[in-house]
Amino acid sequence: MAAASLSRLSRRTTSSAVAAAPSLRRLLSATSTAPAAQSAPPPPPSAASAAAAGADRVRWDYRGQRQLVPLGQWMPKVAVDAYVAPEAVLAGQVTVHDGASVWSGSVLRGDLNKITLGFCANVQERCVLHAAWAAPTGLPAETLVDRYVTVGAYSLLRSCTIEPECIIGQHSILMEGSLVETNSILEAGSVLPPGRRIPTGELWAGSPARFVRKLTNEEIMEIPKLATAINDLMQSHFSEFLPYSTAYLEVEKLKKSFSIPL
């Protein structure tokens, strides 16, 4: 009897093990394939997603510097045919008149007082123009660069007045209340102290700037010609940029997408 019962028990155990084998094999196969699926590398990004990411990066880089910076109620005013380089910065009470040009890297900061750039005047690369609340000499603290004035690269102008048809050499510094009268030239690397005046038709140079000699008629005639030549050169740079915005291109796209007759 005991032998018969043991044989029946062994047969039940064998049959149950055989029935459970397929489910055990499925469980083992699932657990063995799961790590392989998890460790598989992600698919490479598509070309469209890469282009979109690149476009976002370009837009973000472009927003890194603003060309026109409003301060409170003051917004820089730039004439339609004036040229302001993309790398230049105009902030606050800044007015750029017709035919004027502000070249790459220049900063016109009108946060305390007005800065005015007259007709066909030019401020070349890396110049800094600023205006104080008030000049210690009692003269107007605004910064005025009048018509046909050429300001050389790397110059610093602060609360000064430059009358029409003058040349300011490169790396020059004009301090608060200084005045450069019509048809005058300040040589490169000169420093004009606060309240100092350069009379009409004279050449000054040095640090501090001192009188050198009177200008000849031929030299005086060349001053506006230089400003005009820079204005002609500005036109070639200006043609690389749209004088207005590109909003009309977006309007054209909308019209095409919605099949609006033109």
Side-chain angles (χ1 to χ4, degrees), residues 152-232:
Y154 293 92
S155 295
L156 171 62
L157 280 62
R158 179 175 169 84
S159 296
C160 60
T161 300
I162 305 175
E163 293 185 351
E165 301 183 10
C166 293
I167 295 177
I168 307 299
Q170 300 178 2
H171 292 269
S172 295
I173 299 176
L174 281 72
M175 301 303 293
E176 294 88 344
S178 57
L179 171 64
V180 181
E181 294 184 353
T182 307
N183 297 329
S184 299
I185 296 178
L186 181 64
E187 286 286 354
S190 300
V191 177
L192 197 60
R196 188 67 58 87
R197 179 180 68 93
I198 298 180
T200 302
E202 294 185 0
L203 172 67
W204 284 48
S207 177
R210 299 179 183 276
F211 171 76
V212 177
R213 60 178 175 85
K214 286 282 189 179
L215 295 176
T216 64
N217 292 331
E218 290 76 11
E219 291 173 332
I220 293 176
M221 293 296 292
E222 290 295 325
I223 294 176
K225 291 181 180 179
L226 175 60
T228 304
I230 295 177
N231 179 270
D232 295 338

